Amino acid sequence: MTITATKFTPEVMLSAPRRTPALPSPSGKRAVYAVSTYSFQDHKKTSQIRVLDIESGDSVSIVEDASASEPVWLGDDEVLYLKGGDAGITTLVVRHAWSAEAEPYEAGSVKAPISNVIVKKLPNGSFAFACSALTTPDGQLFNPETEKKPHSSARVYTGLFVRHWDAWNTRNKSSIFYGLLEQKDGKYALRNGTLTNALAGTGLSSPVPPFGGTGDFDIGPSGLVFVAKDPELDPAIYTKTNLYYIPLETFTESSAPPPRIINTPGLEGYSNSPVFSHCGRKVAFTRMRSNQYESDKPRLLLVPDITNPDKTEEFYATPDGVGGWDARPESIVWSHDDSKLYVTAEHRARTLIFQLASTPSRATALPVPIKTPDGSVVSFHLLRPNRDHSSSSSPADSDNDHLLVTSTSLVDNSCYSIADPAAQTATVISSASKEGKSFGLSRSAVDSITFRGAGGDYDVHALVVRPSTFDRGAANGNGNKKYPLCLLIHGGPQGAWLDAWSTRWNPAVFAEQGYVVVCPNPTGSTGYGMAFEDGIRGEWGGRPYNDLVRCVEWVAENMPEVDVTRAVALGASYGGFMINWIQGHPLGRKFKALVCHDGVFSTLNQWSSEELFFPIHDFEGTLYDNREAYEKWDPARFVSEWETPQLIIHGELDYRLPITEGLAAFNVLQARKVPSKLLVFPDENHWVLKHENSLVWHREVLGWINKYSGIENEQQLAEKVDGLKV
């Protein structure tokens, strides 16, 4: 399921196969993943579940069904997956992992949509099964297909958090369900055909919306751990999520014991990524310190004995509470002998895997990254020790660890590889885009620059992507062509441009139009230390804006192949705020055209958002206690300076930045007679996710910037020349 293209276009990118992370079988000989492809000719998506032979890199399709998802292993020979059906019913289907002749069979069914499946083999050979689903206030499964529709559409609220991301909040909450898959007559079946709501009657909800998934909970031989919002605090004002433990002996308990909270004195923010050790006694997880800062530094923590939830240990703790490891740990995997942890974290525009001792007392040296392919790690799993010598009887130890890594890069949308931490090697076994060549892309197009930031005492890093047809002589000032600058400004603002694939903001799509694309990570960006990230607080239009000014100046002075007189700039979310801020300031006159996607028109409107802890933190207080801080960085204060042609894009389901922000900016531009266009998606949220909508997005955006940068004229001229040649 690969494609071959001589030119990387939006159609090529959007129709390319999209693979989920690979999940290895217990023996480590095979891996299972799902893949989907969209056809703009048929206007529909096709989906498969495939099994990969890790040794050869060959794969076969075992399921072709758009309603099939979330495959997991039941032993080495069988795969379980979810199949959505009529009336919202979900079926648990099991089929042989390699034999196409074997008939699939049903292991159970649930009368509601479920997701986020985790299975763990228990000592008796059965499998503990866990998933998530929406539940009604009384703890019952919620099925929107069979729900009785009310006669009125009215909604009544008496508290904060009335809507979140792209949906109005209801009384239904997400819950974790568990059950037991046991084998009888050679087939697995869900015991008693039922699942139990682990959170019934607790007032807790997990996974945490809108993005919570399997990273919010884990199951082990002794029970279930999960994170949930603190029910005593308002979720609109506070970020606090606690870690809880529910002991389960058989996973057949008809009702779960009460959850036990894991105590972490001094740390009151987000909890994430709980993972049981292989022995089942320990749990590693992350937690932030601040309960009103969603981008605070996660601290890596250990529960030495899950039966004693009052004792936790912090890795790299320091007396001042800052912590000795200046990174943001995310996902966690234990080594086979539980002596090491493998943890992902961002580092200078990449997501890497770091290794460290699994107990704080032995983790005296800072974590070191292991070798992985170019780009950023998306997901990784432990392979069975001595997988190349299955008959070996030597005990498992961390020196035998091999990791099955799923990664992406700016030129590769999916890469599966095997990383050997001890040998510091990474071997690619399957690349969806054959190292980008099927897209007409090349690693040689990717570069980076570093320039002095606005403060004068720090550096700013930026990724650079050039066209695949780039004239190398131009970089030395000897070429026959100069390329317009395309400046991409990331959102967050606590985020970063990564050496990673994207179908929403892919720098290569812009580069292939004929731009040199520069993606700076200014003050506020993640992956460069917490002081750099925290520097944006109270500085939304200050240091980050001046860093961007320095960026454009550096490009003009040091990159002779770039034509900054034909520059364009684009940004979304906070990047959209920055576009509107730039529009009212001198840097705005440096660009021929601007594009603002779901951006901020006025910071005084930040309280029309849903997660109010975000503006409270970044603007150093509430709107009523510190209005001056909101007014200081308000783009609407400078609309009298707006004069650069600008495209405004907004999704009507964006409740983080309501559509009125886009409408207000467009109305100002139109009233001032500034060339402008408004693109609205009634069925999209903060992101444009639907294939057909995304194609329109790309055509409108590229058409807009190409018109004002002059690339449109170059393309038309090239078409005429090609016509004459014919």
Side-chain angles (χ1 to χ4, degrees), residues 504-505 597 649 688 693-701:
R504 292 183 289 111
W505 286 89
H597 175 107
I649 309 169
V688 176
N693 285 347
S694 185
L695 184 57
V696 172
W697 186 97
H698 281 89
R699 287 175 174 171
E700 289 291 338
V701 168

Side-chain angles (χ1 to χ4, degrees), residues 598-630:
D598 286 29
V600 176
F601 171 71
S602 174
T603 48
L604 295 177
N605 297 335
Q606 283 288 285
W607 277 57
S608 62
S609 186
E610 7 85 295
E611 294 179 342
L612 298 177
F613 50 74
F614 173 68
I616 289 174
H617 175 272
D618 274 24
F619 294 100
E620 302 177 292
T622 64
L623 181 62
Y624 41 88
D625 287 330
N626 194 16
R627 183 183 178 91
E628 296 79 9
Y630 291 77

